[in-house]
Amino acid sequence: MSAPLTRREQIIVAFAAQGMLNREIAERLFLSIRTVENHLQRSYTKLGIHSRHELHAARCGGEVRSSSEAVWR
């Protein structure tokens, strides 16, 4: 069972799923681009996905293969 997404991961995942670039997310949250990348990578692992494309599909009603689904949907 995967750990649920942290609040920061939830926020970053939501922005990414809306189509924001890592740079835009970083600017909006006053983080480095690398920090955003790290949060996204950890989120992908927790959600059982591998890419932003899968993230968008999962967020728009596709299946997420993780127990964390309820945390960020």
Side-chain angles (χ1 to χ4, degrees):
M1 181 162 154
S2 294
L5 297 181
T6 66
R7 183 67 186 136
R8 180 64 83 182
E9 289 167 345
Q10 291 175 41
I11 292 166
I12 290 172
V13 162
F15 284 144
Q18 292 171 16
M20 289 179 72
L21 302 174
N22 291 353
R23 177 184 44 78
E24 295 170 325
I25 297 168
E27 289 172 2
R28 181 123 181 215
L29 299 176
F30 304 101
L31 301 171
S32 72
I33 294 170
R34 185 68 183 145
T35 298
V36 171
E37 291 169 349
N38 287 336
H39 280 301
L40 283 173
Q41 190 56 53
R42 280 192 301 275
S43 298
Y44 294 165
T45 300
K46 289 178 180 182
L47 296 170
I49 62 176
H50 300 98
S51 70
R52 192 177 291 246
H53 176 73
E54 290 179 80
L55 175 66
H56 180 72
R59 187 95 168 131
C60 292
E63 289 298 313
V64 176
R65 300 178 305 269
S66 169
S67 61
S68 334
E69 179 182 36
V71 174
W72 64 278
R73 259 200 172 180

